[in-house]
Amino acid sequence: MAEPTLSVRDLSIVYQARRGQVQAVRNISFDVERGEAVALIGESGSGKTTVGLGLMRLLPATANIIGGSIVYRRYKNGSNSASRETEVLALKGDNLRQFRWRECAMVFQSALNALNPVLRISEHFADTAKAHGYLSGYRQGTALRERSWQLLSMVRLDPERVWRSFPHELSGGMRQRVLIALALLLEPQLLILDEPTTALDILTQRNIMDVLKELRDKLGFSMLFISHDLALAAELADRVATVYAGKIIEVGDVRTIFRRPYHPYTIGLIKAVPTLTSDKSSLVSVPGSPPDLIQLPTGCKFHPRCPLADERSQQEEPALIEVEPGHHVACWHWTHAREALKAYRAET
Amino acid sequence: MSEPLITLEHVTRTFTVKGQTIKAVDDVNLTIPQGEMLCLVGESGCGKTTTGKMIAGLLPTSAGRILYHGKDIATIAGNDRKAYRLGVQMVHQDPYASLNPTQTIYDILAAPLQHHGFTRGEYETKRRICHLLEIVDLTPPDDFLEKYPHQLSGGQRQRVSVARALTVLPTFIVADEAVSMVDVSIRISLLNMFARLKDEMGVGVLLITHDLALAKYFAWEGRIGVMYLGRLVEIGPARQVVEHPQHPYTQVLLSAIPEADPDATRAKPRVALRSTDMPSLLRLPTGCTFHPRCPVFAGEVCENIVPPLEKANWGSEAACHLVHANES
């Protein structure tokens, strides 16, 4: 099998705050295979957005990548071996600029603010192309327009209407689709999407999800979703990783994670989300709130909220281990977590 | 049946934007009995928040009346007016913006208690506040009294907002997207808290949300109303609306919602819209406002005649010509 497009190993990122160091990302490792869609799910403050920004090297100045590696592999069309391997953390200057957007593009969280309000949509495309030296020189004018229009229609926008518009003339969903088209302009192999459907209406969300599915089938890029929306992950991801207190605590195939989760937090999260078909009595919220990332609890970071926590959980942090092929869990009690939680709920 | 607590009669609200008039809420009729759990759902711009604000008395109506215990809230006066203003409270969407950052939780909760004379003296006020904090699950209350809002998490702040609404012993709370800004893991516990208010204090709640799954859970025994472009297009018992939607718009919404179950969500049949563009409120379509997008559009009658909200199957009412045609 070909090597993954992206391999993150032991990535750790801290923020410097007045009270101390915020341990936003702690020793995170994961892969994104060629053409695969991976979702990082977790609550706010779990460090998932920091991972995304770290991959793009777009962290604010207060953040510091204190360890780990991010290896990106470029594949040529149709080839099965990586033509180039890049250590993203070592990139500087022009090389970093080329990596961003050409190799790996990001659709940012707040679609409503991510576009420059004084530039027309056409100018956004022109600027992006120019900044990354795409279709330079005499070819730029018409070729760029052709490529952009093609992308805009792929995201189900009417290029004629959108092309000369300013961002404020477009609805939230249209802007989000413009951003997706813009992210795909330089044919990146990896698309990072930070909460791509949050703050959008149901029908608009549906539209964006359908567009993403279609694009992925057509263009074959890999995707990394960062979201707290379990339904989005269930619909679009091939693999799901649960992030808690800056660490991946469970990762596996999307069906495995939703059907047979082993980590009490993943189990709790899935139980906490009402679906259209779920019964009222089956829903339970996860008690407590996420930990303070400056003063992390000892041992397993989930132990203060976990009904299964024992002395060992309080003292030693469990490592992420492979419990079945492709299914990794970081919990001392994974073998009996589901039954024990069921018994616990029956009691209370 | 008990006397209705709140009645909306032909309530309409218009706004003027750059000289043009838009109808945010158009001829909404609604009767809310005491202690009902009601959800209004719809997309942004459908008028659900405007409706909530009018019920809470934060916006006057442009036409039509809102009655509280049978009295028009626009002309209500004296003691009745005070009873209404205290009786209907609002919990806002953003718990980060709705609490005064320079006041402690004690100050925030003590102000309404003392102003309206619910408690006298510090000892009594403090006891009452501790009791309120216990009701909203902020325990032990002593830990919270001297805290400032910034020291609390989003979910805790939202609980403080609810405690503040409860200070004046309301009969009805309008909660505008009250849980959409808190983390998924604690939404359910917030909703359960609202349900407990109903059981223990008889407080009715209007939850405004865009999440139908959440609405079904919240209004389990109550009702869900679906709004589209200012009109109430369907209303009925919560589970029936989700399981047997009558109006095509409700059907489209339900089929579009992704489910947190990989097999179910990928296999779900979808009802496609004829057009994905939401019409502008400035140029509302004639007749049924959903007709340009409606998957079961039936020609002239839909284009020309506004369908009334009438009894349909499963105890729901729907505003659609076809639903009624299929019945008779």
Side-chain angles (χ1 to χ4, degrees), chain B residues 22-254:
Chain B
I22 59 168
K23 260 189 188 167
V25 174
D26 188 4
D27 195 24
V28 168
N29 292 293
L30 189 61
T31 305
I32 307 171
Q34 217 132 22
E36 185 178 49
M37 306 301 259
L38 176 68
C39 276
L40 276 184
V41 298
E43 297 175 274
S44 37
C46 74
K48 55 191 194 300
T49 295
T50 308
T51 308
K53 282 188 172 167
M54 286 191 290
I55 292 174
L58 302 180
L59 268 181
T61 58
S62 305
R65 304 194 301 161
I66 296 177
L67 309 178
Y68 177 74
H69 280 303
K71 297 196 179 76
D72 187 347
I73 62 165
T75 55
I76 202 167
N79 281 341
D80 287 342
R81 180 177 159 75
K82 191 172 174 192
Y84 161 68
R85 292 304 263 188
L86 295 180
V88 181
Q89 291 295 315
M90 184 137 182
V91 173
H92 294 274
Q93 175 170 15
D94 185 352
Y96 294 84
S98 60
L99 298 173
N100 186 336
T102 66
Q103 293 193 328
T104 62
I105 304 309
Y106 175 84
D107 295 334
I108 288 170
L109 298 177
L113 284 174
Q114 288 170 338
H115 179 82
H116 293 289
F118 282 96
T119 59
R120 262 164 230 264
E122 200 159 326
Y123 176 72
E124 204 189 325
T125 308
K126 195 175 161 192
R127 236 185 44 188
R128 178 100 184 95
I129 289 175
C130 287
H131 178 63
L132 285 168
L133 289 175
E134 274 168 15
I135 292 177
V136 296
D137 291 330
L138 290 175
T139 51
D142 284 324
D143 286 2
F144 292 94
L145 291 177
E146 294 310 315
K147 284 208 167 138
Y148 287 91
H150 75 264
Q151 293 169 301
L152 305 182
S153 69
Q156 290 174 330
R157 285 183 225 207
Q158 203 56 294
R159 287 171 197 274
V160 173
S161 300
V162 175
R164 180 175 59 182
L166 291 175
T167 52
V168 296
L169 304 175
T171 51
F172 194 69
I173 292 179
V174 178
D176 185 8
E177 300 275 13
V179 297
S180 33
M181 286 190 67
V182 302
D183 267 314
V184 283
S185 66
I186 47 181
R187 275 184 199 166
I188 291 298
S189 65
L190 267 173
L191 293 183
N192 290 346
M193 178 193 73
F194 278 115
R196 242 188 14 251
L197 297 181
K198 184 206 162 205
D199 294 341
E200 289 168 14
M201 305 166 74
V203 180
V205 181
L206 168 64
L207 181 74
I208 296 164
T209 178
H210 59 271
D211 186 339
L212 263 159
L214 201 102
K216 177 189 169 194
Y217 176 79
F218 178 78
W220 198 257
E221 306 287 341
R223 287 184 298 165
I224 292 179
V226 182
M227 290 187 73
Y228 182 71
L229 293 175
R231 289 189 192 141
L232 193 60
V233 294
E234 176 161 0
I235 185 162
R239 277 165 285 167
Q240 262 61 314
V241 168
V242 171
E243 280 153 28
H244 308 284
Q246 301 293 308
H247 197 282
Y249 177 64
T250 318
Q251 290 166 0
V252 168
L253 276 185
L254 285 164

Side-chain angles (χ1 to χ4, degrees), chain A residues 43-44 201-203 206-207 209 231 234-235 237 254-255 258-259 272 274-276 278-280 283 285-286 288 305, chain B residues 43-44 183 185-186 188-189 210 213 216-217 220 242 252 254 256-263 265-266 270 276:
Chain A
E43 293 172 86
S44 47
D201 280 319
I202 301 166
L203 297 179
R206 163 57 46 207
N207 196 272
M209 282 193 230
E235 171 122 8
V254 62
R255 286 185 175 81
F258 279 94
R259 287 283 147 72
T275 66
L276 292 173
S278 60
D279 191 72
K280 187 168 180 166
L283 292 169
S285 71
V286 185
R305 301 173 75 182
Chain B
E43 297 175 274
S44 37
D183 267 314
S185 66
I186 47 181
I188 291 298
S189 65
H210 59 271
K216 177 189 169 194
Y217 176 79
W220 198 257
V242 171
V252 168
L254 285 164
I257 296 173
E259 301 250 15
D261 176 335
D263 291 319
T265 194
R266 291 169 204 214
R270 305 230 185 283
T276 50

Side-chain angles (χ1 to χ4, degrees), chain A residues 22-23 33 40 44 122 142 175 312:
Chain A
V22 182
Q23 302 184 42
E33 305 285 342
L40 297 180
S44 47
S122 56
T142 44
R175 273 182 263 186
R312 193 175 186 194

